[in-house]
Amino acid sequence: MKPKTIIEPFKIKSVEPIRFTTREEREIILKDSGYNPFLIHADDVLIDLLTDSGTSAMSAKQWAGIMEGDESYAGSKSFYRFEAVVKSITQMKYIIPTHQGRAAEKILFSIVGGPGKYFPNNTHFDTTRANIEFSGSEAVDLLNETGKHPEIRADFKGNMDVEKLEAFIKEKGAENIPLCMITVTNNSGGGQPVSMQNIRETKEVCKKYGIPLFLDACRFAENAYFIKKREKGYANKSPLEIAQEMFSYADGATMSAKKDALVNIGGFLALNDEDLAMKCRNLLIVTEGFPTYGGLAGRDLEAVAQGLVEVVDEHYLEYRIRSVEYLGEKLVSIGVPIIEPPGGHAIYIDAKRFLPNIPPEHYPGQSIVCELYLEGGVRAVEIGSVMFGKYDKNGKLIPAIMELVRLAIPRRVYTQSHVDYLIEIIAEVYNNRNNLKGYTITYEAPMLRHFTAQFKPLY
Ligand code: F0G
């Protein structure tokens, strides 16, 4: 029997209009925002792929949860539902709500971090790295070699390099490594998954040296689905069972609920160590709030709890992973260079191969981002020399290793026809690639310049 089309596993009860603009209008909007899509008003964007974080569509049951939310300061009913659901997935003893992922990171690393300490990860997300460095410690990425090559197709490009991890522990001393992390899926490179075997092997090394293993679990359900599809022995397990096994190797987890809990705000810390949990709760009270709400309203806790139930649904995950893969496949078929294979939450266009004639000093990724907006009102983000470029002593740009454009796909927000439209727009930009121009920066802040930088096209 011919396989059937994988459809959106929901029908739409509430809609939000998107605003159409003309190319002439977009030319003015883009110029007025200094050719920086971060500065465009969201209302002037047709398809917004800036991030998959906090942009999910909530379900009818989540909205019902918003009404049900118990706003008691202490001991809210909504907290206990949230705690029960998070425990059912993570099997961890202490669940601490926070307002988003970086708040969980801030609390954790304020306690376990400090000068002279090291935190290995497959790849740290920016905020994780920033919170570690802010505490005075060093954040170290130990991604496996395959994961560093955009053109190599492999099943688990997010894996930790376990051998390097062991060598690193021997070099720095286990006593200087308060914990080791694995980010599932690995956000850099578009959400490449980590295999169960790799989590298990990482745990074994950590255990040998008495180092706790933590998951950065933002996209745990997407990772679980990749394991189901790609790793031997998991085809007949449910995503929930696989997620439970992933967490069973961990001693703790940080979570941004803005991703795989299908909500617009929220996060948590999950821990097994009682003493650490007590310290985290004490700090939580100072920075986030009482331990049964931690920076969230009761209604948010309800929405997170319900989202976590929905995200491990197999039909949802099949649709989710397939829709990103569909976008990736179509782009590859028309010759658009992307990081392969497509990851869980985003497609990364390889701007170096897309625009070989525009050198890094003229920001090829920014050129594509601007053209996607002009052509079709699509907002994407440059992840290349605008974001990561530095200057040498003489003010010459030291480019980023890769020049990428991220198309992050919000969860349950866009339908297949939106994706088909997106493919048409990217194809149009690609066909017109020989006419694309580079950009120069006319204003930049001393730190995190990509958020506020202003550009000028090199016509
Ligand atoms: N860890 C990972 C792997 C992330 O991708 C993010 C956020 C965080 C931690 C921080 O969570 O935003 O709730 O504080 N990633 C977003 C993105 C911002 O666009 O990839 P947060």
Side-chain angles (χ1 to χ4, degrees):
M1 212 169 52
K2 200 168 158 255
K4 301 273 186 302
T5 303
I6 295 164
I7 59 171
E8 286 83 5
F10 47 80
K11 53 185 180 174
I12 297 166
K13 190 188 280 266
S14 175
V15 297
E16 184 181 355
I18 46 179
R19 204 170 77 80
F20 288 82
T21 48
T22 63
R23 188 176 175 110
E24 290 69 37
E25 286 169 333
R26 290 195 292 277
E27 275 166 8
I28 296 165
I29 292 163
L30 190 63
K31 186 160 181 258
D32 289 350
S33 59
Y35 297 91
N36 185 346
F38 274 109
L39 305 177
I40 297 176
H41 293 201
D43 199 33
D44 292 329
V45 175
L46 192 64
I47 308 254
D48 203 346
L49 307 180
L50 200 55
T51 179
D52 66 317
S53 180
T55 50
S56 298
M58 292 210 293
S59 67
K61 278 201 176 157
Q62 284 178 295
W63 283 110
I66 294 276
M67 286 305 295
E68 291 268 329
D70 172 3
E71 304 304 340
S72 304
Y73 190 93
S76 149
K77 187 173 81 190
S78 301
F79 169 75
Y80 292 108
R81 175 164 184 230
F82 160 86
E83 187 190 42
V85 175
V86 177
K87 277 188 174 174
S88 73
I89 298 170
T90 64
Q91 320 274 308
M92 287 191 199
K93 293 194 192 116
Y94 307 100
I95 311 300
I96 301 172
T98 59
H99 79 271
Q100 62 185 86
R102 68 198 70 181
E105 292 163 2
K106 169 78 182 148
I107 288 168
L108 179 64
F109 294 112
S110 298
I111 290 163
V112 301
K117 293 179 180 159
Y118 300 88
F119 293 93
N121 198 332
N122 47 354
T123 314
H124 287 282
F125 180 66
D126 316 9
T127 59
T128 324
R129 173 175 288 280
N131 275 304
I132 289 170
E133 288 173 354
F134 189 74
S135 83
S137 306
E138 222 174 284
V140 187
D141 293 339
L142 298 174
L143 185 65
N144 77 96
E145 189 54 36
T146 319
K148 297 177 192 164
H149 299 274
E151 67 292 349
I152 299 179
R153 289 189 73 94
D155 284 343
F156 292 104
K157 289 176 81 173
N159 280 356
M160 172 82 87
D161 188 328
V162 183
E163 269 175 36
K164 272 207 186 132
L165 174 66
E166 183 154 18
F168 183 81
I169 296 171
K170 282 186 185 153
E171 184 197 327
K172 301 294 180 191
E175 67 283 7
N176 298 317
I177 305 178
L179 59 89
C180 169
M181 272 191 129
I182 298 186
T183 303
V184 291
T185 57
N186 191 27
N187 187 357
S188 327
Q192 298 293 331
V194 178
S195 71
M196 193 72 87
Q197 189 185 341
N198 189 253
I199 299 175
R200 209 180 293 125
E201 285 172 6
T202 305
K203 173 66 184 181
E204 275 162 24
V205 169
C206 287
K207 206 169 155 191
K208 185 167 156 193
Y209 295 92
I211 298 170
L213 176 64
F214 273 57
L215 294 185
D216 176 339
C218 300
R219 300 177 179 88
F220 75 95
E222 290 170 6
N223 199 85
Y225 191 73
F226 278 116
I227 289 176
K228 182 177 171 69
K229 286 312 236 193
R230 297 181 180 175
E231 193 163 349
K232 209 166 153 250
Y234 290 94
N236 296 323
K237 295 219 158 112
S238 71
L240 176 61
E241 287 168 330
I242 298 172
Q244 286 166 336
E245 186 181 336
M246 283 162 51
F247 283 107
S248 75
Y249 302 118
D251 303 283
T254 56
M255 172 82 185
S256 166
K258 298 172 75 172
K259 285 84 171 172
D260 268 354
L262 301 170
V263 291
N264 309 118
I265 196 74
F268 59 82
L269 249 177
L271 302 166
N272 271 337
D273 182 315
E274 188 180 356
D275 182 52
L276 180 58
M278 201 167 73
K279 287 181 180 145
C280 288
R281 279 197 180 126
N282 289 340
L283 187 53
L284 184 89
I285 293 176
V286 181
T287 60
E288 289 276 298
F290 191 73
T292 60
Y293 73 84
L296 292 168
R299 54 180 173 269
D300 299 323
L301 294 166
E302 284 286 344
V304 171
Q306 181 58 30
L308 287 171
V309 171
E310 293 172 13
V311 79
V312 289
D313 175 75
E314 208 169 318
H315 289 293
Y316 161 74
L317 285 168
E318 179 183 44
Y319 138 80
R320 167 73 177 160
I321 300 301
R322 177 61 195 145
S323 53
V324 177
E325 185 185 52
Y326 171 84
L327 170 61
E329 275 173 7
K330 293 275 171 166
L331 294 181
V332 169
S333 76
I334 55 174
V336 176
I338 62 165
I339 294 190
E340 293 193 62
H345 69 285
I347 293 290
Y348 277 50
I349 295 176
D350 185 345
K352 253 188 209 170
R353 285 188 283 154
F354 193 113
L355 294 175
N357 299 328
I358 299 184
E361 321 56 282
H362 295 156
Y363 308 112
Q366 195 66 19
S367 176
I368 296 172
V369 162
C370 288
E371 205 57 29
L372 287 173
Y373 181 70
L374 287 176
E375 188 61 42
V378 172
R379 176 154 71 171
V381 63
E382 193 262 15
I383 300 197
S385 293
V386 174
M387 197 178 269
F388 296 125
K390 299 202 169 88
Y391 294 109
D392 68 11
K393 285 200 294 287
N394 307 317
K396 193 172 166 346
L397 181 82
I398 308 167
I401 299 165
M402 293 198 263
E403 302 293 338
L404 303 170
V405 172
R406 182 173 87 163
L407 310 165
I409 314 297
R411 294 170 180 79
R412 303 195 293 208
V413 171
Y414 296 117
T415 64
Q416 177 159 356
S417 58
H418 290 112
V419 175
D420 285 332
Y421 167 84
L422 177 64
I423 293 161
E424 287 165 15
I425 297 303
I426 298 169
E428 201 61 39
V429 173
Y430 188 60
N431 294 338
N432 189 33
R433 63 191 180 280
N434 293 332
N435 299 321
L436 263 59
K437 299 286 185 289
Y439 284 77
T440 54
I441 294 180
T442 55
Y443 163 78
E444 63 187 289
M447 273 173 72
L448 297 173
R449 64 177 183 170
H450 56 284
F451 289 123
T452 53
Q454 304 268 310
F455 299 84
K456 191 166 74 108
L458 293 167
Y459 291 119

